[in-house]
Each structure stands twice: as C-alpha cells, then as structure tokens.
Amino acid sequence: GLFCVLASAAVMQWLHLSTALGAFIAGVMLADSPYRHELEADIEPFRAVLLGLFFVAVGMMLDLDAVVARPFFIVGMATALVATKAAIIFLIARVARMEWRTALALGLLLSQGGEFGFVLFAQAQKAMLIEPQAASLFGAIVTLSMATTPFLMMISRRFRGAPAKLRTDMEGPSSDGATAIVVGYGRFGQTVAQLLTAHKLAVTLIDWEAEQIDVSASFAVKVYYGDGRRVDLLRLAGASEAQLILFCQDGDPMEADHLATVAESFPDAKIFVRVFDRRQVIALYEAPIAGTVREVYESAIVMARQALEALDVEIDEIDDAEARYRDVDHQRLVAQAESGDLYAAREVMLRPHAGRNVADQTAT
C-alpha cells in the first residue's frame, strides 16, 4: 500500500503535477483492494494528526488582510458557490431520474467546496498562476462554504425521504393481554409471530408501514399501527404485562441506551432484538436484553447443512461441524465485544481453502 502511494506520487511529480493528486489516485485504487480495512486500521492513528497539520498549513497561507478587506465579496462568492453546485447536482440527479426531493437533498449535501481546492490553490500560487491574495480569497470562500455543512444538513433533512402520508384509518395499539409483542411484521417478524402462535401464545403485532398493515389485513391478520420502539406506545400495547418483547423490524439498528430504557420500563419482559450483522451484535453486547439474532445466521447454517447432506456426509459429522463453527463464532464475538476490535480472535477463524479439502491438506 505504501509503495503504491509513493509510486503514484512519483509519477505525478514526473508529470509535473501535484504529488497530493498522486496520493489521492493511489487511495482510489486501493479502495477496492482486499487490503482496504487493514490499510484503514494502519492509517487511522496518523489521519487525525496529518489532517490537522494540513489545515494548519492552509490557514498559515491565508492573507487575513486581504480577507478582511473584502468580506462581502467572500460571503457572496461562497453563497454563489453553494447555490451553483447545488443546482448542478440537482439537475444531474434529475437527469438520472431521481425523485425531486432526494435530488434536492443530494444537491444541498454536496454543495460545499472540497478540501482538495486548498491543494489546487496552493499549487496555482506556487506556479504563479494566481496572486497570493487571490489564493487567500479563494481559500476563505471554500472554508466559508464548508462551514455551511451542518446548516445545509438540517435543511436537507426534510427532503431526504418522501413525506409520509397521514393515515387516519389506522388503529393504534391497545392492550390485549398478549404474552408477546412483536414489533415489525415484515418477513422476519411474520416467521417469529407465526411460530409463537403455533405454540398457542397470544401475540400483539405492531408495524409502522401502512402498506404492510393493509396486506396483513387481507390475510385476516390484525396488525396495529405505530412505532413500536417507543416506550409509551409499548405501554399502550400491554408491554407491562407481556413476557416477551421482540424487535423484528429492519432499518435503523436499535441503540443499547434505548434498549436499556425499554428494559427498565418493562422489567418483567424478556427482550429479543433482530440485528443485521455481528457489528450490531457487538454494539448490543452489554445491553440488558435476553438475546440478539442475526438476520441470515441461522439460514446460512441450514444451507451449509443441506449442502453437506447432499454430499452424503453423516449426520453426526454435520452436527460436529456445526457445533465447531458455532463455538468458534461465539469465541470471536466475545473477544470482539470485550476488546471493541472487529479483528480480535481472527486467528481462530475458520478460513476456507481452495483446491483441496482441509482434511487432505492436514494429511499431507
């Protein structure tokens, strides 16, 4: 990785271009390489320091007298820069057939000047293409445009998604004396709820997708409307008497602090959470819940078992392989959660081998 960066920078210098441009191109090339995460981990300790030094160097190049002398020019040009970039990006997004609200939000979020502009101004000044005062003015314009980022993010928030249509025909949750409350009645929640129902448990269903509620109603399934993650809504649904609360929704992950609030509000209920991947499992490792379930974990194990059965492997051997995998995976999860490092215990990971079976390699 370091050799690639240095080589790219050397080529750019040989072409009489910026070495920073070469480093940038090297980063783009390495972004899709198998070493990406390792490089990110190695660079992380230096990134904050070097980034700080970069902005210190940029700030030292500014001619404050030139900036103070023309404040209205700087504010006007920064406004023009933001407006022009937002308009161009909006039009490009619309040509790409993005919905107008999403296109406008994208234009606002990407309308600021970029840090690479500082590099270009410095190189242009060094090559005597622009005056030092002009470089200072341009740098101040870019800096001011970047300072608008948090405000533009707040403005764009209302445009990032289509406005939810107000439905007045949806019934909110009410206490039915159910044993379990299932939040999210999508493909995951349906399986959970039907299995609980098969055991003759009373189940209350909550979902905030109006379309999903309508579809469920066509199958004679009662689903209450609302955001089942809210404590007040769970209380209305009878969570104080429920024995199980199962968060089966997809989308934004549940936060450990919020789950702690739910557990404190309903101490008699055991809480289970659907998670997307092991990162979310690690994030909820110390949360006061009964368990987490990764979306594709069990289904992947079932597929692997079926594959081994297709090869006429004995059931006992398949059970041993599954037990070994589960044990290794649990060891890694515990080590990762305790250390906060996703690469912890990677030496025990079961790595696939191409070409020959692991048993054959061991024998040789």
Side-chain angles (χ1 to χ4, degrees), residues 94 97 101 109 124 159 169 183 194 196 209 233 244 289 322 342 361:
R94 290 294 289 160
R97 298 183 179 181
R101 297 176 63 88
L109 289 173
F159 300 108
D169 57 333
V183 178
Q194 291 178 34
L196 296 178
E209 293 287 346
L233 193 142
L244 296 170
I289 56 179
E322 179 183 347
L342 190 62
Q361 293 180 351

Side-chain angles (χ1 to χ4, degrees), residues 275-346:
V275 297
F276 178 71
D277 57 12
R278 68 191 308 111
R279 290 182 176 87
Q280 293 183 19
V281 176
I282 296 170
L284 300 180
Y285 184 72
E286 295 184 353
I289 56 179
T292 57
V293 178
R294 278 176 277 172
E295 288 187 1
V296 298
Y297 181 70
E298 297 295 339
S299 58
I301 290 176
V302 170
M303 185 176 185
R305 288 185 63 94
Q306 292 178 354
L308 292 174
E309 291 174 4
L311 296 177
D312 297 326
V313 179
E314 296 292 335
I315 296 297
D316 291 342
E317 296 182 16
I318 297 176
D319 292 340
D320 290 342
E322 179 183 347
R324 182 187 176 198
Y325 168 72
R326 289 183 182 273
D327 180 63
V328 169
D329 186 71
H330 178 70
Q331 291 181 41
R332 293 181 60 216
L333 274 176
V334 171
Q336 290 166 341
E338 292 178 348
S339 65
D341 181 11
L342 190 62
Y343 295 97
R346 59 181 175 180

Side-chain angles (χ1 to χ4, degrees), residues 118-145:
F118 298 128
V119 178
L120 296 178
F121 300 151
Q123 292 298 318
Q125 178 183 345
K126 184 177 180 181
M128 294 185 292
L129 297 176
I130 59 176
E131 295 290 337
Q133 294 82 359
S136 297
L137 290 176
F138 294 157
I141 291 169
V142 172
T143 301
L144 184 58
S145 72

